[in-house]
Amino acid sequence: MTSISTRIVAVTAALATAVVVSSCTKTEDHSQHDHDHATTSSTVAPHNADDIMFAQMMIPHHEQAVALAALAPQHTTNPALLTLATTISAEQQPEIQAMKALLLQWEADPNGMPDHGGHGMQGMVDDATMTKLGTVNGPAFDTLWLQSMIGHHQGAIDMANTEIAKGQSADMISMAKSMVSAQQAEINQMKQMLGG
C-alpha cells in the first residue's frame, strides 16, 4: 500500500517538475510554446468525475480515521488497540497526501468535498460519538472506538468498491483496491478484539 502511495507521489512530483520546467522555458515562437503547453497538459492520466468525487470524499473520511486513531493514546492502555491505531494512521495519512496530489494534478480542489457536511459519506462517526470518545477511558473507550472504527472502515470499503466499479484513474482504482484489502483485514481483527 505504501509503495502505491509513494509511486503516486513520485509520479505527481515528476509531473509537477515537468510542468514547471515547461513553463520556465522561453521561446520566441509562440506556436511552439503553445504546442509545448498542450503536450504537457496531455500527460495527465485519464480520470473521470467519479475519481474526483471519490478522492474529495475519501480525504475527509480518512482525516476522521486519523483523528480517531489520535484519540487512542490518551484513552486506552490496550496494546493491541494502540498498535492498530498507529497502523491505521500510518496507512491513511500517506493516502490522504496521494489523493490530494492527484486532485491537484487533475486541477480539482483537494478541499472541495461536495457539501454534505460529512453526513452523505458512509461510515462517518457522528459528532456525539466523537465527543463521547473524548470522555471515556479504558474498556469503555476500547469498545466504543472499535465499534466506531468498524463502521467507519465498512463505509470506506463501500466507497472504494464504487470507485473500483466506476472510476477511470488507474492510480485511484489501485489505491481503492488497497484500501479494501487493508481495511477488511482490520475489520476482521477489530471484530476479534470485540469478541465476535
Side-chain angles (χ1 to χ4, degrees):
M1 178 180 319
T2 305
S3 62
I4 292 169
S5 299
T6 305
R7 186 171 65 82
I8 291 170
V9 171
V11 167
T12 305
L15 279 167
T17 304
V19 170
V20 170
V21 170
S22 172
S23 64
C24 291
T25 305
K26 297 287 183 193
T27 176
E28 294 302 314
D29 183 354
H30 292 292
S31 64
Q32 180 63 37
H33 181 77
D34 291 342
H35 175 73
D36 288 347
H37 182 73
T39 303
T40 302
S41 298
S42 68
T43 60
V44 175
H47 61 282
N48 63 17
D50 290 295
D51 298 315
I52 292 171
M53 185 174 73
F54 172 70
Q56 287 178 333
M57 292 181 75
M58 191 57 85
I59 288 167
H61 201 276
H62 269 24
E63 286 171 344
Q64 188 182 57
V66 171
L68 282 163
L71 288 171
Q74 303 152 26
H75 296 278
T76 187
T77 55
N78 180 331
L81 193 147
L82 289 167
T83 299
L84 179 61
T86 301
T87 300
I88 289 169
S89 187
E91 286 169 353
Q92 298 200 19
Q93 194 62 54
E95 288 175 348
I96 290 168
Q97 299 310 317
M99 287 186 286
K100 285 183 175 181
L102 280 170
L103 286 169
L104 288 170
Q105 181 184 326
W106 299 335
E107 298 181 359
D109 185 357
N111 303 310
M113 187 191 78
D115 188 21
H116 295 141
H119 301 296
M121 287 184 288
Q122 298 157 302
M124 289 293 277
V125 179
D126 62 76
D127 293 340
T129 303
M130 289 297 289
T131 300
K132 187 172 181 183
L133 280 164
T135 63
V136 294
N137 295 300
F141 173 85
D142 296 354
T143 299
L144 185 58
W145 189 91
L146 289 166
Q147 290 169 341
S148 300
M149 193 64 88
I150 287 169
H152 198 270
H153 271 28
Q154 285 170 333
I157 288 171
D158 290 343
M159 291 164 65
N161 280 328
T162 300
E163 166 62 15
I164 292 163
K166 296 183 177 179
Q168 185 181 13
S169 162
D171 286 326
M172 197 63 81
I173 291 169
S174 179
M175 199 185 311
K177 287 178 178 177
S178 293
M179 288 176 196
V180 170
S181 175
Q183 295 197 32
Q184 186 58 58
E186 288 163 358
I187 286 171
N188 297 342
Q189 179 186 347
M190 289 187 283
K191 285 181 175 177
Q192 286 184 331
M193 290 167 71
L194 278 172

